[in-house]
Amino acid sequence: MVEHLQQYGVISSEKVARVMETIDRALFVPDRTPAYADCPQEIGYNATISAPHMHATCLQLLEEKLQPGMHALDVGSGTGYLTACFAMMVGPQGRAIGVEHIPELVASSINNIEKSAAAPLLKKGSLSMHVGDGREGWPECAPYDAIHVGAAAPEMPQALLDQLKPGGRMVIPVGNIFQDLKVVDKNPDGSISIRSESSVRYVPLTSRDAQLQS
Ligand code: SAH
């Protein structure tokens, strides 16, 4: 899978290739799902695990802000795959936090991570998974060098902008039916620069009730 993404030019970073090889996607998808196919897959609760090329793209966009010792937040952590990758990149001196509003998904993400190469980081506490409304971020470990949002926000959530460190970067899909993957940089003076990376299709960042009824 990783070689394929490298051949097609999706992965250019060695570090991202290595982390995606180390965290085995097969441990994070439901049984009988083709783990390495380059498409999103159903994980229940009207949610999906993102396609490998989207995981790779987001890891590359955030790579500079996922250096050892840095703090990373994964909103809408779903299966926990990307949170585990973040944890491997920031290492035992860093912090990787996953926030997901479906308690069953948080429980299964912890099971998935326990089988993966990121298990020691979960055990020692540099990686942690939480039930919560990700639109509020996770203030306890803020500010963050890197924030990833795995669901599409109708508009930019202020709490997440507030929890971004000066010099930090957030990658977030914004929009309703048509969404743009936005790259949000908080400059050292606290001002914000935003650019659109690509058009994307994510599940909505919404309330738990709205998601379960959709
Ligand atoms: N990156 C994850 C993507 C999962 S899909 C993965 O690849 O596994 C998006 C996730 O966002 C879903 O699990 C959904 O339950 C969650 N979500 C949607 N709105 C949310 C909210 N307000 N707070 C927390 N999680 C949310």
Side-chain angles (χ1 to χ4, degrees):
M1 175 187 87
V2 168
E3 265 173 38
H4 191 86
L5 292 170
Q6 286 176 307
Q7 268 164 23
Y8 282 85
V10 179
I11 300 183
S12 54
S13 153
E14 256 315 300
K15 208 165 162 189
V16 168
R18 243 181 297 129
V19 80
M20 288 186 69
E21 277 165 359
T22 307
I23 300 297
D24 185 355
R25 186 177 168 93
L27 302 172
F28 290 79
V29 300
D31 289 346
R32 289 183 292 280
T33 304
Y36 307 117
D38 195 13
C39 52
Q41 275 121 4
E42 309 279 335
I43 56 170
Y45 311 95
N46 293 324
T48 55
I49 178 170
S50 301
H53 75 268
M54 279 317 304
H55 283 156
T57 299
C58 292
L59 284 167
Q60 287 197 162
L61 288 169
L62 290 169
E63 180 177 2
E64 253 178 69
K65 313 297 173 190
L66 294 168
Q67 305 291 333
M70 289 186 167
H71 283 204
L73 174 66
D74 186 23
V75 171
S77 46
T79 61
Y81 180 83
L82 214 48
T83 329
C85 291
F86 291 169
M88 297 301 287
M89 290 173 81
V90 301
Q93 309 305 325
R95 282 305 308 259
I97 308 283
V99 182
E100 162 62 53
H101 66 173
I102 307 286
E104 292 86 344
L105 287 178
V106 174
S108 60
S109 70
I110 290 171
N111 280 332
N112 299 339
I113 293 168
E114 279 170 347
K115 291 183 229 141
S116 80
L121 299 170
L122 184 69
K123 199 159 176 224
K124 295 222 173 85
S126 66
L127 164 59
S128 56
M129 308 301 288
H130 307 270
V131 179
D133 186 341
R135 293 171 291 190
E136 304 303 325
W138 196 256
E140 282 88 325
C141 299
Y144 297 96
D145 301 277
I147 299 180
H148 169 263
V149 184
E155 53 204 48
M156 197 67 79
Q158 187 60 43
L160 298 182
L161 287 175
D162 293 345
Q163 289 172 34
L164 198 57
K165 201 179 268 188
R169 172 173 279 193
M170 170 159 69
V171 172
I172 177 170
V174 180
N176 293 303
I177 297 169
F178 299 100
Q179 306 155 5
D180 271 344
L181 189 66
K182 303 272 190 198
V183 178
V184 180
D185 286 307
K186 189 177 268 190
N187 302 312
D189 66 359
S191 63
I192 299 281
S193 310
I194 304 179
R195 70 176 172 84
S196 292
E197 171 71 16
S198 55
S199 295
V200 289
R201 195 74 201 271
Y202 279 72
V203 303
L205 185 73
T206 183
S207 70
R208 190 184 305 160
D209 285 350
Q211 180 173 326
L212 294 176
Q213 278 158 24
S214 64

